[in-house]
Amino acid sequence: MKIGFIGAGQMAQGLAKGLIMAGLTPAEKILSSCPRVDVMLLEKMRKLGCRTTSNNEHVANDARVLILAVKPPIVPKVLKEIHQFITPQHLVISVAMGITTRHIEQSLPPKSRVIRVMPNTPALVREGASVFSCGSATLEEDAATAHRIFSSVGTCDQIEEYLLDAVTGLSGSGPAYMFMAIEALADGGVKMGIRRELALKLAAQTLLGAAKMVLETGKHPGSLKDDVCSPAGTSIQAVHLLEKHGFRCALISAVEAGTQRSKETGGLF
């Protein structure tokens, strides 16, 4: 399967690496495009064994699965450039925040096959959380193709498109919230005398381990929290303080804010 990336940034690099490592397609069957000014990005793709070009039309001509891995403001320009090269044999997959399948379909030839995906940056270490929705003209096999591609860099689920903005606020932006949590936990450790390097390691491993327990045990996170909180112990004292300072409310509000921003971004195009 030949796959073309329009864009060569971190997400394109992470997806390409995942596809290669999973054995879904050899590196030489991947072509990535990027403006000449971003030569360093193309060099990173070449180090993976992928072919590169500065011409988006070349990618559309070369591959039948096209992944639009560019920022939302760039999407209209890219769609205009590749419009004449898109055929019924093409599957166009967009990872651009907020841009609906309907908008992409309207910018391409009639009945173009379009899928919208919201991945997140942990895809770079093959621990991503991706969700996708299909456009109006996709084939049954297209959903399977998208699932295979994004499962190569983590988990992947299909969902109704109207929920993709909420997914953006949750898992799309979520790594930023978790990075802040890791940093804050480490700062707390440093304040209490732990050296910085070890504090960061402990904080990161704690979040990793807690997440794995939720996914592998199937238990509700509230129940897992209760298991840690012994009567009159240290954990329940700390949890009380977090509740007092609106910890859960802040995270809920963060997801809400991210969702709203994704909707606003889509409304600009």
Side-chain angles (χ1 to χ4, degrees):
M1 175 171 59
K2 280 190 174 183
I3 295 179
F5 286 93
I6 295 183
Q10 280 195 335
M11 187 55 65
Q13 293 167 30
L15 287 172
K17 184 177 180 180
L19 288 166
I20 296 165
M21 293 182 67
L24 292 181
T25 190
E28 59 269 20
K29 286 193 175 183
I30 297 176
L31 177 63
S32 175
S33 65
C34 194
R36 293 184 186 276
V37 293
D38 295 321
V39 63
M40 293 301 296
L41 296 180
L42 292 178
E43 178 60 29
K44 289 180 179 180
M45 292 295 282
R46 283 193 290 271
K47 285 183 178 179
L48 294 174
C50 305
R51 294 171 294 127
T52 63
T53 177
S54 60
N55 192 313
N56 293 335
E57 293 91 330
H58 289 171
V59 179
N61 268 327
D62 184 79
R64 289 297 172 264
V65 177
L66 301 181
I67 299 178
L68 308 183
V70 296
K71 299 294 185 183
I74 309 298
V75 171
K77 176 178 178 292
V78 167
L79 294 176
K80 186 176 181 180
E81 290 176 351
I82 67 173
H83 179 281
Q84 62 178 313
F85 301 97
I86 300 301
T87 71
Q89 285 71 50
H90 280 91
L91 171 60
V92 178
I93 300 176
S94 170
V95 299
M97 178 190 72
I99 309 297
T100 65
T101 56
R102 182 179 179 184
H103 174 85
I104 297 173
E105 288 170 348
Q106 290 175 340
S107 302
L108 294 176
K111 297 190 180 300
S112 290
R113 295 152 53 199
V114 177
I115 288 181
R116 175 184 170 192
V117 185
M118 175 44 61
N120 62 8
T121 55
L124 300 174
V125 291
R126 301 188 73 193
E127 290 293 347
S130 301
V131 177
F132 72 94
S133 63
C134 295
S136 62
T138 53
L139 307 176
E140 185 175 340
E141 64 196 55
D142 294 336
T145 297
H147 189 271
R148 284 199 306 273
I149 290 173
F150 289 89
S151 292
S152 72
V153 290
T155 65
C156 182
D157 292 278
Q158 185 172 0
I159 201 171
E160 296 86 352
E161 185 169 8
Y162 77 91
L163 289 171
L164 276 182
D165 291 315
V167 169
T168 302
L170 174 57
S171 57
S173 300
Y177 320 152
M178 297 303 101
F179 294 145
M180 291 176 70
I182 290 170
E183 182 184 31
L185 285 170
D187 282 346
V190 171
K191 182 179 181 180
M192 294 296 101
I194 303 172
R195 68 181 190 275
R196 172 69 63 183
E197 181 182 1
L198 179 58
L200 280 170
K201 180 180 180 181
L202 291 173
Q205 182 63 37
T206 296
L207 262 72
L208 176 63
K212 195 167 185 178
M213 286 186 72
V214 171
L215 293 173
E216 293 192 2
T217 67
K219 295 178 69 174
H220 190 280
S223 176
L224 292 170
K225 177 263 298 176
D226 290 347
D227 292 342
V228 180
C229 295
S230 303
T234 59
S235 298
I236 193 62
Q237 291 287 341
V239 165
H240 179 210
L241 187 65
L242 290 173
E243 292 283 15
K244 188 176 180 180
H245 287 279
F247 178 71
R248 289 197 291 184
C249 181
L251 287 175
I252 292 169
S253 295
V255 174
E256 183 179 31
T259 300
Q260 185 58 36
R261 181 54 182 162
S262 179
K263 290 180 178 178
E264 291 170 357
T265 300
L268 296 174
F269 302 96

